[in-house]
Each structure stands twice: as structure tokens, then as C-alpha cells.
């Protein structure tokens, strides 16, 4: 059973976020609360870990893989009748599989959660986003570079980038801001699951950054109305270069994979040291 919207929420700008129970999303919610937002969190569990009793959060239980559940969740948000100042799409899922091994369930889950859901949520809530409002897509460097072994994830993130860029064109005249955040590897449960299931060594060309770093950049993008944020920022330049000269990727890939394997071994060693009792 979900609680009614607390009356106090009307005094605060409203933020709607998906993926709020995840490594990055929970920290974004903490920052939003500190910044004075009332947060509507769409999560599978119907609560945000460690913030279960926060009066600043309205929880809506919602499986983002279920389009019907999204319809119900957006009806509920609409019934509140308040403008949505920030809409943050942070939920995501990756199932590493080579193309010859792809299974229908994994294709559907990734396409739905990573691409279809952010599009549907944006469509259904867009008229609630006022002038000065902001829509943030937590994307990935997998929207810029090919990711052999995770082609569906890359396809969804490439698609999400296309949607965000096109949306920006449509809503610019209405004064609505659109940002995409493109992290490389981030040290969250997603990366750990990915690595246990044969994820790409490219995640470790540079060391994974802590989720707090990404959360801080998302909150800064909201404050400063930045457009696209690459982490590390050098990846942005590299990404633009690749768009102009895609053939560079083939030349660089062997070196990148070698660096990534080295980085992966270092990461696993450090994690083992952290978990081994002294
Ligand atoms: N970690 C990385 O290396 C990395 C790198 C680049 C981009 N990103 C992007 O960053 C975003 C956040 O990822 P993260 O690293 O914080 O991963 P995470 O800790 O696994 O969080 C992902 C969140 O998405 C939610 N989610 C997945 N499927 C869902 C569904 N069907 N219904 C409702 N919620 C669902 C998960 O919910 P549950 O808690 O219920 O599982 C979880 O809270 C994602 O969009 C990801 O693609 C991550």
C-alpha cells in the first residue's frame, strides 16, 4: 500500500525519479532532498533503502518492465496536480550476452527498462514539466562506443541518446532543459553484476568512479542546466572524435582491451583485499 502524497510536498519543487533504490539513484535522492525537493520515487520495492521513513519522499511501487504499471504510476503522479520540476531517468539494466546467445527475456527487459520506459514516462509527464523544468537521462558511454558482448544494452543507450537529443529540439522553445549523463564504469551493484556475468573489460580502461561522483554531477547538471555530461570529461572529446572518425575505434580497440584487462585485474584485486578479513 502506498501512502498518499504528503500535504507538505506542495511547498517543495517536485522531482520524479526512477532507479532510486540503486547505487547512483539513492544518492541523487539524498541530494534532491538536501536541495529542497519533494521526491516521487518509482521503485520495484516501493521504498528507497536507508530513506524508508523520509517525509520528503513519496514512494510509488512500479516495475518499469511493465507498461501497465507505468500507466498507473503516471496517473497517480498526475492526480497530485503539481508541476514536475525535475524528471530523472536513472533506472537501468544490463545483461551481458553475445548476439548469438541473446535470449528474448533479456532483450525485452533491457529494451523496456532502458529505452521504452523513459520514453513512455517522458511522454506521459511532459505537460506537467513547466518552463525552467529539467529532464535528465542517466545514459552511459555505451551510447557512444560499441560494446561487444552487451549489444542490446548499447542499442538501448544509443537509442536513449537519440531520444534525448530529439526531445531537446522539441522542448527548447518551451524553456525545458534536457541533459544526458554519460558515465564510464561506476562502482555500483550494476557493475558488480555485470562483471560476474562476463561484462566487458572496456569498463576498466579507467578505474570505476564512486557513485557519489555521478550523483554530484547529476545534481550539478540540474542546478547549472548543463546539457551533456561525460565522465571522465575526456571521454566526451573522445566520443565526439569517434562520431566523426568511427574507424579509429577498430585501431584503438586492442590497446583499450589490454588496458581494460589490466584495470579489471587491479579492480578485482582491490575488491578482494577490501573483503578479506585481516
Ligand atoms: N554502474 C555503471 O557502471 C554504469 C555506467 C554507466 C551508466 N550507468 C547507468 O546508471 C544508471 C543507474 O545504474 P546504477 O549503476 O546505479 O545501477 P544499480 O545500482 O543496479 O541501479 C539500477 C536501478 O534500476 C532499477 N531497475 C532495474 N530494472 C527495474 C525495473 N524493472 N523496475 C524498476 N526499477 C528497475 C533497479 O531496481 P532494483 O533496486 O529493484 O533492482 C535499481 O534500483 C543506469 O541507467 C545505468 O545504465 C551505470
Amino acid at each position: 500500500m502506498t501512502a498518499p502524497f504528503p500535504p507538505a510536498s506542495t511547498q517543495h519543487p517536485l522531482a520524479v525519479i526512477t532507479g532510486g533504490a540503486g547505487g547512483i539513484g539513492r544518492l541523487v535522492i539524498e541530494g534532491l532532498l538536501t536541495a529542497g525537493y519533494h521526491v516521487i520515487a518509482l521503485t520495484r520495492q516501493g521504498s528507497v533503502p536507508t530513506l524508508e521513513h523520509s517525509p520528503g519522499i513519496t514512494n510509488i511501487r512500479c516495475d518499469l518492465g511493465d507498461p501497465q504499471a507505468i500507466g498507473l504510476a503516471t496517473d497517480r503522479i498526475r492526480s497530485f496536480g503539481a508541476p514536475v520540476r525535475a524528471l530523472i531517468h536513472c533506472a537501468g539494466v544490463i545483461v551481458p550476452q553475445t548476439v548469438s546467445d541473446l535470449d528474448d527475456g533479456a532483450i525485452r527487459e533491457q529494451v523496456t527498462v532502458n529505452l521504452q520506459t523513459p520514453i513512455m514516462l517522458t511522454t506521459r509527464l511532459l505537460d506537467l514539466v513547466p518552463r525552467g523544468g529539467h529532464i535528465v537521462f542517466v545514459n552511459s558511454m555505451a551510447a557512444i562506443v560499441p560494446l561487444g558482448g552487451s549489444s542490446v544494452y548499447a542499442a538501448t543507450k544509443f537509442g536513449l541518446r537519440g531520444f534525448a537529443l530529439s526531445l531537446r529540439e522539441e522542448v527548447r522553445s518551451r524553456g525545458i532543459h534536457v541533459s544526458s549523463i554519460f558515465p564510464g564504469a561506476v562502482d555500483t551493484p550494476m557493475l558488480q553484476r555485470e562483471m560476474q556475468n562476463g561484462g566487458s573489460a572496456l569498463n576498466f580502461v579507467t578505474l570505476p568512479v564512486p557513485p557519489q561522483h555521478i550523483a554530484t554531477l547529476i545534481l550539478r547538471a540540474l542546478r547549472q542546466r548543463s546539457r551533456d555530461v561525460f565522465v571522465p570529461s575526456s571521454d566526451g572529446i573522445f566520443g565526439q572524435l569517434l562520431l566523426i572518425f568511427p574507424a579509429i575505434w577498430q585501431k584503438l580497440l586492442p590497446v583499450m582491451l589490454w588496458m581494460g584487462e589490466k584495470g579489471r585485474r587491479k579492480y578485482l584485486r582491490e575488491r578482494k583485499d577490501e573483503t578479506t578479513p585481516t
Side-chain angles (χ1 to χ4, degrees):
M1 167 106 169
T2 41
F5 286 108
S9 65
T10 51
Q11 298 152 19
H12 299 272
L14 206 60
V16 174
I17 183 168
T18 67
I24 296 171
R26 190 181 60 76
L27 297 170
V28 173
I29 292 182
E30 281 182 5
L32 290 168
L33 294 173
T34 305
Y37 283 88
H38 183 84
V39 177
I40 299 180
L42 272 57
T43 57
R44 265 197 284 228
Q45 306 84 337
S47 65
V48 177
T50 74
L51 295 170
E52 286 87 353
H53 305 296
S54 169
I57 303 178
T58 296
N59 288 294
I60 299 184
R61 191 189 290 270
C62 180
D63 182 341
L64 300 171
D66 174 1
Q68 213 182 345
I70 290 161
L72 292 172
T74 50
D75 285 352
R76 183 126 192 277
I77 296 167
R78 300 188 69 79
S79 73
F80 189 41
V84 174
R85 302 285 311 180
L87 172 58
I88 303 169
H89 300 284
C90 192
V93 61
I94 183 167
V95 184
Q97 282 174 336
T98 57
V99 174
S100 50
D101 287 336
L102 284 176
D103 73 78
D104 290 354
I107 298 171
R108 199 165 31 245
E109 185 186 12
Q110 292 173 95
V111 171
T112 310
V113 175
N114 298 351
L115 183 59
Q116 182 178 313
T117 295
I119 295 174
M120 281 178 67
L121 269 179
T122 304
T123 304
R124 286 167 183 255
L125 296 177
L126 191 56
D127 63 326
L128 295 183
V129 181
R131 179 167 286 278
H134 204 137
I135 302 172
V136 179
F137 296 90
V138 181
N139 204 312
S140 164
M141 273 309 285
I144 310 289
V145 295
L147 201 57
S150 292
S151 56
V152 177
Y153 181 76
T156 61
K157 293 296 191 178
F158 266 69
L160 192 62
R161 175 166 145 257
F163 179 71
L165 288 169
S166 311
L167 175 70
R168 182 182 292 151
E169 294 305 310
E170 287 190 22
V171 299
R172 181 180 291 134
S173 62
R174 289 163 57 182
I176 296 172
H177 307 282
V178 178
S179 303
S180 290
I181 316 294
F182 299 97
V186 190
D187 206 353
T188 67
M190 174 183 271
L191 183 66
Q192 287 145 30
R193 279 192 304 273
E194 188 186 346
M195 286 307 117
Q196 282 156 13
N197 293 291
S200 172
L202 292 175
N203 281 310
F204 299 96
V205 172
T206 52
L207 268 187
V209 298
Q212 185 64 61
H213 184 59
I214 305 299
T216 302
L217 292 174
I218 293 170
L219 294 158
R220 189 190 297 163
L222 270 181
R223 265 197 324 273
Q224 299 183 348
R225 298 172 171 174
S226 342
R227 286 156 69 110
D228 293 338
V229 180
F230 294 85
V231 193
S233 51
S234 56
D235 277 6
I237 301 163
F238 180 56
Q240 301 298 332
L241 202 66
L242 269 184
L243 289 175
I244 305 170
F245 305 109
I248 297 176
W249 184 247
Q250 290 311 315
K251 302 246 178 297
L252 290 180
L253 191 56
V255 182
M256 305 272 278
L257 285 171
W258 175 79
M259 287 168 69
E261 277 304 343
K262 224 170 111 182
R264 169 155 52 190
R265 282 198 295 274
K266 184 166 179 237
Y267 173 81
L268 290 175
R269 246 190 341 265
E270 283 174 6
R271 284 200 72 81
K272 199 164 159 224
D273 289 347
E274 272 170 28
T275 50
T276 308
T278 46

